[in-house]
Amino acid sequence: MDLRIFTEPQQGASYDTLLTVAKATEDLGFDAFFRSDHYLRMGSADGLPGPTDAWITLAGLARETKHLRLGTLMTAGTFRLPGVLAIQVAQVDQMSGGRIELGLGAGWFEEEHTAYGIPFPKEKFARLEEQLAIVTGLWGTPSGEKFSYDGTHYQLTDSPALPKPAQSKIPVLIGGHGAKRTPRLAAQYADEFNIPFASIEDSDRQFGRVRDAAVKAGRKADDLVYSTTLVACVGKTDAEVARRAASIGREVEELKANGLAGSPAEVVDKIGRYGAIGASRIYCQMLDLDDLDHLELLSSQVQSQLGADLIEQPSH
């Protein structure tokens, strides 16, 4: 089982904070550092000092880290034109020496669009499908050839399809709970399918849908990595778990039911149950970015029990 660290900077984090967490993530032997792509805080958090852009952040981290894979859960399709996104992600991949992964979703948080003057179209899923075709098409066009695309929402004519990423193929992540269109898109474009904040039972059902869609699309079901995202709240004692839950405004029992919460042994057991349904990767959502001791505990007493050297492990 591969543990990755996932952050939500819109809740309140500067670039310097994210750099500190990313460096600690690398030093502690985790495989990857991912971040959300949002411009407005959610819930009661103050969001200070204000939002940071996902791909500008990852470009900085690409130059400040050596081993970590870096990516988004999920870049909002409403934020960027697909041609521009393909350039941005390819450039950051070059800056990192080939350590970038792109999670791409339709976009859903209307208030952040209103707050920053970003159009929020009604039909977002059809746009996402075209974006995936364009981004992967631009990267996959052989050097010296041109790429054109005539879609309902986007048209490209004689694009030089440059720059190319450092990797021969940047891994693409698609995720969500949708029962029909999401599995179909994952089967067509994804290297990894992620279901966020879902029970073991719901995750099992959704993984099954994606496996079926992959086979229907002519792929092997296990061509994809299957992953989940869960909030982490681990403590050596009940008091430590309670303190960490309080710091993020959550209740311990709710976190135990819906996330990775409790003692290291409880969390390892929960991870094992996700592994039993086919998940081979978990993104641990870390909401208190000042609590580096939490990261250390996750590394020394959870990751260490999973029987894998995550840095040496291939990403796919």
Side-chain angles (χ1 to χ4, degrees):
M1 179 68 72
D2 179 0
L3 292 191
R4 292 181 160 189
I5 300 304
F6 170 56
T7 61
E8 301 269 12
Q10 76 279 355
Q11 300 302 91
S14 66
Y15 171 75
D16 286 342
T17 297
L18 294 171
L19 176 59
T20 297
V21 176
K23 284 188 169 182
T25 298
E26 182 164 71
D27 290 344
L28 289 166
F30 291 101
D31 162 76
F33 175 93
F34 272 57
R35 61 157 292 166
S36 60
D37 189 9
H38 287 294
Y39 292 133
L40 195 67
R41 63 107 177 102
M42 302 170 196
S44 59
D46 60 27
L48 295 175
T52 50
D53 181 84
W55 286 101
I56 290 176
T57 297
L58 294 175
L61 298 180
R63 306 301 291 177
E64 297 281 357
T65 58
K66 296 178 181 178
H67 307 294
L68 279 181
R69 297 195 68 81
L70 302 164
T72 50
L73 287 178
M74 299 284 188
T75 287
T78 48
F79 289 174
R80 296 168 177 85
L81 297 170
V84 174
L85 181 63
I87 292 169
Q88 289 173 319
V89 178
Q91 182 180 0
V92 179
D93 194 54
Q94 291 174 357
M95 293 167 71
S96 73
R99 294 183 282 123
I100 294 299
E101 304 188 10
L102 171 64
L104 186 57
W108 61 271
F109 188 22
E110 185 171 5
E111 289 93 327
E112 67 187 337
H113 295 74
T114 302
Y116 286 97
I118 303 167
F120 190 69
K122 279 188 175 181
E123 181 44 77
K124 292 178 286 298
F125 201 91
R127 288 174 181 268
L128 172 62
E129 188 161 5
E130 292 192 12
Q131 288 166 333
L132 286 161
I134 292 166
V135 170
T136 58
L138 286 167
W139 292 338
T141 298
S143 295
E145 297 185 14
K146 294 186 176 180
F147 176 83
S148 296
Y149 184 86
D150 185 16
T152 301
H153 304 286
Y154 304 102
Q155 296 81 39
L156 288 75
T157 303
D158 291 337
S159 172
L162 297 171
K164 298 302 185 192
Q167 298 175 87
S168 59
K169 186 180 191 311
I170 289 180
V172 172
L173 289 73
I174 294 174
H177 297 257
K180 294 183 179 178
R181 293 190 297 178
T182 297
R184 178 179 59 79
L185 267 196
Q188 186 171 359
Y189 292 107
D191 300 282
E192 178 177 339
F193 177 77
N194 178 271
I195 183 165
F197 313 115
S199 68
I200 293 168
E201 295 75 21
D202 288 345
S203 300
D204 191 20
R205 277 191 290 272
Q206 188 68 336
F207 288 166
R209 294 183 188 115
V210 175
R211 290 187 186 101
D212 290 345
V215 171
K216 190 173 181 179
R219 299 176 67 180
K220 294 180 180 178
D222 59 2
D223 278 352
L224 286 80
V225 172
Y226 295 88
S227 66
T228 186
T229 303
L230 297 166
V231 61
C233 182
V234 190
K236 288 176 282 189
T237 64
D238 289 346
E240 194 169 77
V241 175
R243 174 176 62 79
R244 288 198 165 110
S247 75
I248 60 174
R250 303 279 284 272
E251 298 293 330
V252 171
E253 290 311 310
E254 177 268 322
L255 286 169
K256 286 188 176 184
N258 299 313
L260 297 177
S263 69
E266 288 178 288
V267 169
V268 169
D269 178 71
K270 186 79 169 282
I271 289 171
R273 285 185 274 152
Y274 277 93
I277 63 164
S280 60
R281 179 172 292 158
I282 293 181
Y283 293 81
C284 300
Q285 184 194 43
M286 310 299 286
L287 293 175
D288 184 352
L289 299 184
D290 294 319
D291 188 358
L292 296 183
D293 288 342
H294 194 192
L295 269 180
E296 195 283 328
L297 181 65
L298 196 63
S299 170
S300 65
Q301 296 197 30
V302 176
Q303 178 182 247
S304 64
Q305 295 188 54
L306 301 179
D309 183 346
L310 298 183
I311 285 182
E312 296 299 326
Q313 194 177 49
S315 61
H316 290 280

